[in-house]
Amino acid sequence: MGYYLAGFDVVGVDIEPQPNYPFDFHQGDAIRFIRDYGREFDAIHASPPCQADCTLTAGTNRDRANHVSLLAETRDALASTGRPYIIEQPIGKAVMSRSLVLCGLSFGLKVFRHRQFELSGLTVPQPEHPSHQGHRVRGWRHGRFYEGDMFAVYGNGGYKGTIAEWQEAMGIDWTSDRRELAEAIPPAYTRYIGENLRFVESVAA
């Protein structure tokens, strides 16, 4: 959605059906799609499955995790296209170039939602990262309920917020599916990247 708001036509690819996806959608293997059709696009954004590399499975849940990282294979496919690309991952143990780190506070959102981005073929200025001091995530932790102005958009327990609160916190209104919201990134992030990508394209033109 952020790239659309920045002025791009958007095509999405996922191996699973995404009935709420608001743009042109192709169900299939995204890495194969990149290798077959990536050169036809002005730029490519990839968010490989993060379970193998994210903080939760790298930390306290590592013994229960049985995931394979597709990050390196995704990067190889992207590089083969010769197009500018963006790889997004949560903060964790992912081996990637951290060209950019975004936080919801930088965009006035009610989520911290830190995400790191590896960029190739474009440069995006790092925005100021506001202090988290004075902000608290709302919900139950260790048997105690905390009021707060921020939301943790993942999971189901600990009263992490209603669907409506998650939608407002993330800036998303096209899906009310809790799982989809939990896996999304705020469109403000990709709009910011997309606006800088449009500048790169206009200079090249």
Side-chain angles (χ1 to χ4, degrees):
M1 180 60 74
Y3 292 115
Y4 169 78
L5 294 173
F8 288 92
D9 293 325
V10 178
V11 176
V13 184
D14 197 279
I15 202 164
E16 299 292 341
Q18 302 293 335
N20 295 316
Y21 191 75
F23 306 111
D24 187 12
F25 176 75
H26 295 264
Q27 184 176 348
D29 184 288
I31 294 175
R32 184 178 302 165
F33 189 94
I34 291 170
R35 292 192 182 280
D36 290 345
Y37 305 107
R39 293 175 180 81
E40 299 177 13
F41 293 86
D42 294 315
I44 308 168
H45 174 113
S47 295
C50 65
Q51 288 86 349
D53 298 314
C54 74
T55 300
L56 287 175
T57 49
T60 57
N61 294 329
R62 64 183 178 275
D63 293 334
R64 290 181 287 168
N66 185 24
H67 304 285
V68 176
S69 175
L70 297 177
L71 179 56
E73 188 177 357
T74 300
R75 181 187 294 112
D76 288 345
L78 291 166
S80 73
T81 68
R83 298 300 191 186
Y85 68 77
I86 303 100
I87 301 176
E88 173 268 329
Q89 290 283 276
I91 303 297
K93 65 175 185 177
V95 179
M96 59 188 292
S97 173
R98 189 177 292 183
S99 311
L100 179 70
V101 176
L102 297 180
C103 169
L105 285 179
S106 300
F107 302 93
L109 299 175
K110 295 181 180 180
V111 288
F112 294 123
R113 204 70 168 176
H114 296 112
R115 289 297 183 271
Q116 57 186 343
F117 299 84
E118 178 177 315
L119 309 177
S120 178
L122 72 155
T123 300
V124 178
Q126 175 65 54
E128 179 183 358
H129 188 173
S131 171
H132 292 193
Q133 187 173 357
H135 298 280
R136 181 183 286 276
V137 175
R138 183 183 182 188
W140 288 91
R141 286 181 295 283
H142 307 295
R144 180 179 175 183
F145 183 79
Y146 294 87
E147 289 288 354
D149 60 329
M150 308 295 285
F151 290 91
V153 181
Y154 66 90
N156 293 304
Y159 187 69
K160 293 187 172 69
T162 66
I163 287 175
E165 288 170 329
W166 279 17
Q167 288 174 313
E168 180 184 1
M170 294 276 284
I172 292 175
D173 61 6
W174 61 89
T175 180
S176 58
D177 184 281
R178 186 176 288 273
R179 180 190 62 81
E180 292 178 358
L181 288 166
E183 293 183 354
I185 61 172
Y189 293 8
T190 46
R191 182 172 187 172
Y192 176 68
I193 295 172
E195 288 170 347
N196 282 276
L197 179 59
R198 287 298 297 266
F199 175 76
V200 170
E201 299 224 323
S202 65
V203 170

